[in-house]
Amino acid sequence: MKIKKLELFKVPPRWLFLKITTDNGTTGWGEPVVEGRADTVKAAVEEMKSYLIGKDARHIEDIWQTLYRGGFYRGGPVLMSAIAGIDQALWDIKGKALGVPVYELLGGAVRDTMKIYGWIGGDKPSQVVEGAVKRMDDGFLAVKMNACPEMEWIDTPKKIEEAVAVIASVREAIGYDKGLGIDFHGRVHKGMAKAFMRELDFLKPMFIEEPVLSENFEAFSTLAQYTSAPVATGERLFSRWDFKRLFEQGAVDIIQPDVSHAGGITEVKKIAAMAEAYDVALAPHCPLGPVSFAAALHIDFSCINAFIQESSIGIHYNEGYDLLDYLSNPEIFTIKDGSIVRPVLPGLGVEINEEKVRAMSEMGHDWKNPIWRNTDGSITEW
């Protein structure tokens, strides 16, 4: 089971797939990518080849430790995302070699179904209501939306009123028996987040995500006092050492590590265990493709504190290149009553349409997130 070959495929809308092949022909797929920095992560994976070729693919922990510690400099989005994709592919290989789903190798399943939420886009009430209703029709029982468009460091009460009205239109459309996640996306700074969070309380959010950027972790204790909703963050944290500061502070209720950014299955499982010890829930971040989504689900099915899973199925900015388009078995991600049934196929359980992947990699992509500016011309968070 020695690693023989690594192949990388940059495919639209903004993803990077990795295929690892062993000397006995067993293959595994991973998704090592930072949105908008696919070429950079691709280069990082290629630099790591010398640590991988000829190594036993079953020695996942040793390979992880070598990739993390062997380069002296460590952490950050690029290196941890490169490790994450490699790690996913190795777990896929090991599961296939042993004939069991990955969650069986992580201690076994703790649930039979996993709750899923879907994104809705748009900044106008008519757009978001239409999107929310469609999500309900598609089988979801929970949705997430951006809280607001661009916002200045200190903005006007009118800006908050307009944003609250949009969110309220969704709550009215779906009712209070459905989940409504509200993502501040790091667009709001502490001075505005306090007022904004207080104004949203009557809408009973499922959670408020990234009320400020995660690097401003010291603000979370203050902001938690302005809402009764659970506070979530973590998509821009990349290791258990990054999350340690949040846990010690005690102000975050839900963590959202990304299995394609935070060191893969190996590391996110450890982060989830740390969260359990602090009575913190898990809701992995995942706006990416089918391999990343599958990897996140195996974490969810093996972690007792996982309560809901993000999905990019049908997400508004992936139009024309949905994650299901790259699968030969899209039925494994069928959503019914707001949940996905536990997979039973070995490895990650996704059967990648390799012909499609190779064809679309000829097209590639150069996706970059938008650059937003305030009315005065100053740059602001997307």
Side-chain angles (χ1 to χ4, degrees):
M1 290 284 290
K2 296 190 184 303
I3 298 171
K4 181 179 179 180
K5 183 167 63 173
L6 281 75
E7 298 175 272
L8 290 151
F9 307 94
K10 192 169 69 164
V11 299
R14 55 179 188 162
W15 302 330
L16 181 68
F17 293 162
L18 167 67
K19 180 185 178 184
I20 295 181
T21 304
T22 67
D23 57 2
N24 72 349
T26 306
T27 62
W29 289 84
E31 202 168 325
V33 68
V34 173
E35 301 90 304
R37 298 291 183 269
D39 287 328
T40 310
V41 180
K42 182 180 180 182
V45 173
E46 289 173 340
E47 283 186 327
M48 292 176 179
K49 277 186 180 179
S50 61
Y51 295 101
L52 298 168
I53 299 299
K55 299 298 189 297
D56 191 325
R58 294 168 295 187
H59 295 174
I60 298 173
E61 180 69 25
D62 183 69
I63 289 173
W64 194 97
Q65 295 291 347
T66 300
L67 296 178
Y68 181 78
R69 301 179 188 279
F72 187 77
Y73 297 102
R74 60 192 67 175
V78 173
L79 293 178
M80 295 305 286
S81 297
I83 293 172
I86 294 167
D87 184 78
Q88 291 166 7
L90 295 179
W91 280 105
D92 195 23
I93 287 170
K94 191 160 191 172
K96 289 173 180 175
L98 296 174
V100 296
V102 167
Y103 61 76
E104 293 287 8
L105 305 176
L106 300 175
V110 297
R111 56 179 53 85
D112 298 322
T113 61
M114 187 64 208
K115 290 182 288 186
I116 305 294
Y117 69 83
W119 264 95
I120 53 175
D123 295 316
K124 296 180 180 179
S126 59
Q127 294 172 325
V128 293
V129 167
E130 180 183 352
V133 170
K134 184 178 186 307
R135 285 303 199 186
M136 300 298 114
D137 292 341
D138 290 340
F140 290 89
L141 296 179
V143 294
K144 186 170 81 174
M145 63 185 293
N146 281 319
C148 60
E150 69 276 8
M151 186 169 283
E152 298 192 32
W153 285 72
I154 302 295
D155 218 313
T156 64
K158 179 175 175 57
K159 195 76 163 285
I160 291 179
E161 287 180 2
E162 291 172 345
V164 172
V166 173
I167 299 166
S169 68
V170 173
R171 175 54 86 193
E172 183 178 354
I174 67 174
Y176 282 84
D177 60 335
K178 307 294 193 303
L180 175 57
I182 302 174
D183 188 358
F184 281 35
H185 216 243
R187 296 172 182 173
V188 185
H189 297 275
K190 185 175 71 170
M192 295 302 296
K194 293 186 291 185
F196 201 171
M197 293 170 77
R198 179 171 281 166
E199 291 295 319
L200 291 171
D201 227 34
F202 79 101
L203 296 174
K204 306 299 181 187
M206 178 171 63
F207 55 74
I208 291 176
E209 179 175 340
E210 275 197 325
V212 292
L213 290 168
S214 54
E215 55 256 42
N216 297 321
F217 75 95
E218 67 281 351
F220 281 89
S221 292
T222 300
L223 294 176
Q225 302 173 40
Y226 290 86
T227 182
S228 63
V231 175
T233 195
E235 70 185 70
R236 290 186 252 202
L237 301 176
F238 309 109
S239 72
R240 73 199 93 148
W241 294 278
D242 290 344
F243 279 93
K244 181 168 66 171
R245 298 177 303 163
L246 283 179
F247 295 143
E248 290 170 347
Q249 188 189 55
V252 172
D253 307 293
I254 302 166
I255 57 160
Q256 300 167 306
D258 191 307
V259 188
S260 276
H261 298 329
I265 292 169
T266 296
E267 183 70 353
V268 173
K269 177 70 174 179
K270 294 173 182 177
I271 293 168
M274 289 174 66
E276 183 187 350
Y278 284 89
D279 202 23
V280 171
L282 173 71
H285 179 254
C286 187
L288 295 170
V291 183
S292 183
F293 185 43
L297 285 169
H298 283 274
I299 289 289
D300 296 325
F301 280 110
S302 68
C303 293
I304 194 63
N305 53 334
F307 89 100
I308 200 164
Q309 175 60 55
E310 180 176 21
S311 164
S312 72
I313 295 174
I315 199 168
H316 49 287
Y317 48 69
N318 287 353
E319 189 172 347
Y321 306 103
D322 193 73
L323 70 81
L324 299 179
D325 296 340
Y326 289 97
L327 294 179
S328 299
N329 62 335
E331 67 278 0
I332 67 161
F333 292 150
T334 298
I335 298 166
K336 182 180 179 182
D337 298 328
S339 297
I340 286 178
V341 175
R342 176 163 47 88
V344 295
L345 293 176
L348 293 177
V350 286
E351 296 174 356
I352 298 297
N353 184 339
E354 189 168 336
E355 183 179 353
K356 172 89 169 181
V357 169
R358 290 186 182 277
M360 297 307 289
S361 69
E362 295 296 320
M363 178 187 299
H365 67 83
D366 188 29
W367 188 89
K368 298 288 188 291
N369 63 255
I371 300 298
W372 282 5
R373 294 187 180 275
N374 294 310
T375 55
D376 65 0
S378 60
I379 195 165
T380 189
E381 300 286 345
W382 171 63

